[in-house]
């Protein structure tokens, strides 16, 4: 079964740590060995993995992306093309390894839902699969 | 079975909407629940998801990438290092969720094959897998 | 079973070609048709696919990323926020197609472990899965 997680944001650009919710969804699925696919069904949001220890890192990533994406005269009339470009750079699909019934992350890694045009109510799709080896 | 789709481009940089072809390949596979892996076997092309409604968005993404990738004196003698960098940023691998026999995308999402050094004849690999849960 | 490959780097920023090790891990797994998931369990390293022929291309990609990531006054006291941003752009997860017992890459493609804050001893997780179609 595909699970759908809700993600709320309070700012225009925000990285929301969803590691706990994803881990819980995997444990609920009962898959011991396999993969977990995360998918963001939006065009101005993405999913990335980065440091879970110092919140300054996610602030620096958001500041860095602001500086990377140029202030051009964009054509799209909604005026949020910067958010579409950030979403294209971040990506909407992420695949994780499941071992011993949980996702396998590095010590310092967290999974972040990245909102680039909030605040909004968003969805995150989670699909678990058993490995056949 | 792995399917191979053909993608033709007419410009140096172009985002080609392949959502319909990918959806058709998934329906042909008969997989009801699982995942669909897209893979681009090229080094100056990539695959991204973004808005399918306003074509200005993809034009803005291509303009944005042009502005992001610096005009350095590159070493690679073919003179297309900007395209290799754009490909590295876009990515060549994308995994989608299959439910009810079709890929699950957001309302505004389309799948785009991104050519950064065209025009060329390209390939897109598609692999479908049943989920075992 | 999940396999763990060791990757050593000698410079702060380096792209290490791991194509041969990944191909060997897939052959060892005995999976004839399926997918191979690569996962980098670090927050200042990533995994990308790019040209395997001319080493100048990887040098140009590293130079390009240096120029793309802005020299801001970052908050993170470790002073390696540029590496965290590069890792977010590169991505830590990559999924490959397995056919005929090996990964399916384009002629010019190689798989590169990207170190952005080395030199360090790193790990690369490899999970193979049979396709059920």
């Amino acid at each position: 079964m595909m699970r759908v997680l809700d993600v709320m944001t309070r700012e225009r650009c925000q990285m929301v740590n969803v590691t706990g919710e994803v881990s819980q969804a995997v444990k609920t699925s009962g898959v011991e060995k396999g993969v977990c696919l995360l998918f963001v069904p939006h065009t101005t949001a993405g999913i990335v993995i980065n440091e879970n220890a110092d919140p300054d890192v996610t602030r620096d990533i958001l500041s860095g992306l602001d500086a990377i994406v140029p202030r051009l005269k964009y054509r799209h009339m909604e005026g949020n093309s910067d958010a579409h470009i950030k979403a294209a750079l971040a990506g909407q699909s992420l695949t994780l390894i499941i071992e011993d019934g949980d996702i396998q992350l590095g010590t310092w890694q967290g999974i972040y839902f990245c909102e680039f045009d909030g605040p909004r109510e968003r969805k995150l799709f989670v699909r678990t699969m058993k490995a056949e080896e």
Side-chain angles (χ1 to χ4, degrees), chain A residues 12 43-44 75-82 84 117 120:
Chain A
R12 180 161 194 250
T43 60
T44 54
R75 304 182 186 202
H76 182 44
M77 295 310 288
E78 283 181 49
N80 63 349
S81 288
D82 63 318
H84 286 286
D117 194 32
R120 302 203 196 199

Side-chain angles (χ1 to χ4, degrees), chain A residues 98-117:
Chain A
I98 302 173
E99 282 282 309
D100 307 322
D102 201 357
I103 48 174
Q104 299 302 301
L105 295 174
T107 311
W108 305 109
Q109 288 183 319
I111 306 164
Y112 291 90
F113 182 99
C114 302
E115 172 65 72
F116 298 120
D117 194 32

Side-chain angles (χ1 to χ4, degrees), chain A residues 41-106:
Chain A
H42 309 289
T43 60
T44 54
I47 188 102
V48 304
I49 287 176
N50 218 283
E51 177 169 320
N52 59 18
D54 177 2
D56 281 340
V57 171
T58 53
R59 293 193 199 100
D60 286 345
I61 291 171
L62 292 176
S63 310
L65 286 173
D66 272 335
I68 287 169
V69 174
R71 277 139 192 75
L72 297 177
K73 192 174 185 320
Y74 293 113
R75 304 182 186 202
H76 182 44
M77 295 310 288
E78 283 181 49
N80 63 349
S81 288
D82 63 318
H84 286 286
I85 294 169
K86 289 175 182 178
L89 293 175
Q92 284 67 48
S93 176
L94 186 62
T95 311
L96 306 165
I97 294 173
I98 302 173
E99 282 282 309
D100 307 322
D102 201 357
I103 48 174
Q104 299 302 301
L105 295 174

Side-chain angles (χ1 to χ4, degrees), chain A residues 9 12 17-18 21 26 28 34 38 40 44 53 61 73-75 78 107 119 124 129:
Chain A
T9 53
R12 180 161 194 250
N17 190 332
V18 293
E21 291 85 340
V26 168
T28 306
L38 304 180
V40 173
T44 54
I61 291 171
K73 192 174 185 320
Y74 293 113
R75 304 182 186 202
E78 283 181 49
T107 311
L124 176 61
M129 290 177 73

